[in-house]
Amino acid sequence: MANEDWSCDANDAVQLTIVQPGEKKPTTIATFHPQFTYPIFGDEERIFGYKGLIIRLRFAAHDLRSHVHISYDEKFKAVGDTAATDLNKTLRDWISESAFISLPEYEKAVQNDENAKDFVPPGKRVHTYTTNGRNYEIWAGSLVEPDVRALLERAQIFVPLFIEAGTPLATDDPEWTLERWTVYFVYEVVTPPTPTASKYSIVGYATTYRWWFYHNREGKTHPTVGNGPFPYPEQIKFSELPSRLRIAQFLILPHHHRSGHGTQLYTTIHKVCVEDPTIIELTVEDPNEAFDELRDAADYHILRPEFLKRDLNINPNPYPANTGKKRPRLMPTAALIPTKTLHEIRSKYKIAPTQFAHILEAFLLSRIPLKHRAAGNANMARLLIKKHNAEDENDRRYYWWRMLVKQRLYKRSRDVLIQLELNERIQKLDETLANVEEGYEKLLERFGNREERIGKMAEEEVDPKKASMAEGTANGAAGRDRTKRKYTVIEDDEDEGEGPAEAAKKAKV
């Protein structure tokens, strides 16, 4: 019999199940399949040696107590060196030994857990919210805390299954290293199904870590050298040093997709970042397209009111009246946009420079009426001829908007672009600009749809007789209309401080 007959798709074979106590035995809340299994079963994501294979990974809803149950209809009998995959051995590298008890033992442990009713997520509750009539809480704790570490260790099996190129965190590092990490857990607050059951059910989690950042504060004098004792009598804590905060892992479980949990989690992390005086800015480690979409929408929602309050717009007449129609040699950036004000806003909201530029460019584009933009079928041929001398000020704004974006793209990819012939360089910049603008138009459309949904939900809360509530903002893991930031030859790295090797990875949300 051909070997292909004994090979099955690992993504189909693996089933993840969230369970909670039931009337007589644990009941299933949700069942879903992984997005990836190549870290566990190889690049082809195939498992050899079984027919009718099901690998069921069960997790208790509150504390993620796990269990592995393997079933199949038939197993391949070894022929020479060819044998069925040793599933128990393979999975033991990813799941704790305690997950390999018998199914009756596991069900009894979940059903009769006397501590479940007293369970609260580890750490400190930092945010509560309601969506679609259901209540949720976000808890945060340092990885130094044993209960935070224990829950994360159980949750990390989701990393290879849902985060592309993701790797579990090392939780046995020295304390000073663990202190850099904060874990955020999202939980739904439910009605306990039994008197002894927990009222908490896992939704997702994220991890962040502090990355030391040399911050040369203007106007501050450097401390003088002293003759104090060494080592210092007081311990220097990483949490007290100026740092970038980076989001490393970010996951909302599939059965909670498209309900706004990703946005709630991201904005909670951002709020904590803004309130911490030791954190200089918030960055993301190797975001994927779906997370880019979530982050852009969230940051746009955060920054737009500030931009409107400052009445930010492109100055359509950056040159003095006596300049005439002669094309100037340099970009009048400071005359087009208030660079000092923008620096103040970015510092206040602690958003990384490249990300801030994306949001600012999208906002400035939104201030140009649609009929004067490419998406509104603006007369591009006339614009390319008239340039900054166009009669309509909105045409001039759009011309200068394009030039500002091109300037940023060129600066970030100068080393690549200067190797091209002038005509090819212009063509590549134009192609990249078109793709970037297309992404911004989709962001603005999503933002408009989001505001409309929020408005409808507010109306329905006032008038309960209206139709059922609109679905909340899609979170990053579930975005279906995923906008790609397409760069032809221009690699616009998401955050400063990450090299080519890191940028090559694509982490899933």
Side-chain angles (χ1 to χ4, degrees):
M1 189 174 291
N3 286 347
E4 289 78 7
D5 296 335
W6 290 95
S7 179
C8 66
D9 188 320
N11 291 342
D12 290 337
V14 176
Q15 296 181 7
L16 297 100
T17 303
I18 307 297
V19 300
Q20 65 180 3
E23 188 175 334
K24 294 183 178 180
K25 67 176 185 178
T27 58
T28 297
I29 295 177
T31 297
F32 44 91
H33 293 277
Q35 288 183 309
F36 316 103
T37 50
Y38 66 86
I40 301 175
F41 296 107
D43 291 343
E44 295 183 359
E45 298 185 323
R46 307 289 296 180
I47 299 174
F48 174 75
Y50 303 89
K51 291 184 178 180
L53 176 64
I54 298 176
I55 303 173
R56 185 171 284 110
L57 306 180
R58 291 180 173 87
F59 301 89
H62 66 296
D63 65 358
L64 295 179
R65 183 197 297 261
S66 54
H67 178 255
V68 177
H69 183 257
I70 300 171
S71 64
Y72 49 85
D73 297 332
E74 192 175 352
K75 183 176 179 179
F76 180 81
K77 294 181 179 179
V79 177
D81 294 335
T82 304
T85 302
D86 188 336
L87 296 174
N88 283 318
K89 180 180 179 182
T90 301
L91 292 171
R92 274 183 164 84
D93 292 336
W94 299 91
I95 306 177
S96 66
E97 188 66 30
S98 61
F100 291 87
I101 60 176
S102 68
L103 180 57
E105 285 182 273
Y106 177 75
E107 290 185 340
K108 182 179 179 181
V110 172
Q111 185 70 16
N112 302 323
D113 184 358
E114 297 180 355
N115 297 320
K117 68 179 185 301
D118 299 320
F119 172 86
V120 293
K124 178 183 178 182
R125 183 169 56 198
V126 294
H127 182 54
T128 62
Y129 63 98
T130 299
T131 183
N132 295 344
R134 298 161 71 172
N135 299 317
Y136 300 89
E137 297 177 354
I138 299 179
W139 293 67
S142 169
L143 204 53
V144 172
E145 302 172 30
D147 50 351
V148 172
R149 198 160 58 247
L151 184 57
L152 179 65
E153 286 172 351
R154 290 179 173 177
Q156 291 206 106
I157 181 58
F158 297 124
V159 172
L161 301 179
F162 292 100
I163 301 178
E164 188 173 0
T167 55
L169 304 183
T171 57
D172 56 353
D173 281 345
E175 183 172 317
W176 71 268
T177 298
L178 297 179
E179 187 187 42
R180 299 168 57 201
W181 290 88
T182 300
V183 187
Y184 292 80
F185 297 104
V186 185
Y187 273 91
E188 181 179 2
V189 182
V190 301
T191 301
T194 67
T196 59
S198 173
K199 68 175 183 178
Y200 288 100
S201 180
I202 190 74
V203 172
Y205 79 97
T207 60
T208 66
Y209 67 100
R210 300 172 66 96
W211 188 265
W212 183 77
F213 178 66
Y214 175 72
H215 185 50
N216 186 15
R217 300 180 180 178
E218 298 180 2
K220 299 287 185 180
T221 58
H222 294 285
T224 57
V225 177
N227 295 319
F230 185 84
Y232 297 108
E234 297 181 3
Q235 182 180 5
I236 298 176
K237 293 186 177 181
F238 207 102
S239 59
E240 298 173 354
L241 299 176
S243 305
R244 279 191 176 108
L245 188 70
R246 286 190 182 175
I247 298 175
Q249 299 168 336
F250 193 100
L251 174 69
I252 302 297
L253 295 179
H255 60 296
H256 286 288
H257 284 179
R258 303 192 66 82
S259 296
H261 301 299
T263 299
Q264 291 283 352
L265 181 54
Y266 174 80
T267 53
T268 297
I269 295 172
H270 177 265
K271 183 173 182 288
V272 171
C273 175
V274 169
E275 293 174 350
D276 188 337
T278 67
I279 294 176
I280 308 304
E281 63 188 30
L282 176 64
T283 64
V284 181
E285 183 177 314
D286 307 333
N288 72 336
E289 293 163 9
F291 190 87
D292 277 338
E293 180 180 312
L294 179 151
R295 184 189 187 194
D296 286 349
D299 285 343
Y300 190 83
H301 183 75
I302 291 168
L303 290 174
R304 184 173 180 269
E306 185 74 19
F307 289 163
L308 289 173
K309 185 175 73 173
R310 304 288 189 110
D311 194 24
L312 294 181
N313 207 342
I314 295 174
N315 176 12
N317 305 304
Y319 297 120
N322 60 1
T323 302
K325 295 187 177 181
K326 183 179 179 181
R327 179 184 174 90
R329 294 185 60 187
L330 301 177
M331 270 284 291
T333 305
L336 289 168
I337 53 177
T339 52
K340 183 178 179 181
T341 298
L342 293 173
H343 176 73
E344 292 173 357
I345 296 173
R346 190 187 76 78
S347 299
K348 175 182 176 181
Y349 289 94
K350 302 185 180 181
I351 293 178
T354 300
Q355 175 66 7
F356 185 82
H358 289 314
I359 304 306
L360 174 64
E361 288 165 3
F363 174 79
L364 294 176
L365 181 64
S366 75
R367 305 219 71 183
I368 302 170
L370 182 61
K371 67 178 181 179
H372 295 274
R373 305 178 341 224
N377 297 317
N379 190 329
M380 298 302 297
R382 184 176 63 187
L383 183 69
L384 293 176
I385 294 172
K386 292 284 188 178
K387 297 183 169 51
H388 65 282
N389 293 314
E391 289 80 6
D392 192 295
E393 69 173 21
N394 286 310
D395 287 337
R396 297 197 296 276
R397 281 196 176 95
Y398 185 53
Y399 165 77
W400 284 120
W401 180 87
R402 289 168 55 85
M403 293 297 292
L404 286 168
V405 177
K406 282 186 177 182
Q407 177 182 241
R408 177 179 64 81
L409 296 174
Y410 181 82
K411 284 181 177 179
R412 292 189 63 81
S413 302
R414 183 180 180 278
D415 292 343
V416 176
L417 290 170
I418 60 175
Q419 300 177 40
L420 305 176
E421 296 293 334
L422 179 60
N423 290 338
E424 186 179 2
R425 187 187 312 166
I426 294 172
Q427 178 186 352
K428 295 300 183 184
L429 266 176
D430 284 338
E431 291 173 356
T432 303
L433 173 63
N435 289 325
V436 169
E437 185 174 354
E438 179 186 352
Y440 291 157
E441 293 288 2
K442 290 183 178 180
L443 168 63
L444 297 175
E445 181 182 2
R446 288 195 304 272
F447 179 79
N449 293 338
R450 178 183 186 274
E451 295 301 292
E452 183 179 350
R453 283 196 302 270
I454 292 174
K456 288 181 179 179
M457 291 171 68
E459 290 177 6
E460 287 155 1
E461 288 179 358
V462 173
D463 186 357
K465 294 181 180 180
K466 290 195 174 183
S468 60
M469 296 172 67
E471 190 173 16
T473 306
N475 65 65
R480 293 180 182 177
D481 182 20
R482 296 182 178 179
T483 301
K484 293 184 178 180
R485 281 187 183 149
K486 305 171 187 175
Y487 300 97
T488 310
V489 293
I490 300 175
E491 295 183 359
D492 192 8
D493 291 346
E494 182 60 32
D495 288 308
E496 286 69 22
E498 295 172 7
E502 290 80 0
K505 301 174 184 175
K506 295 295 179 182
K508 289 292 177 183
V509 181

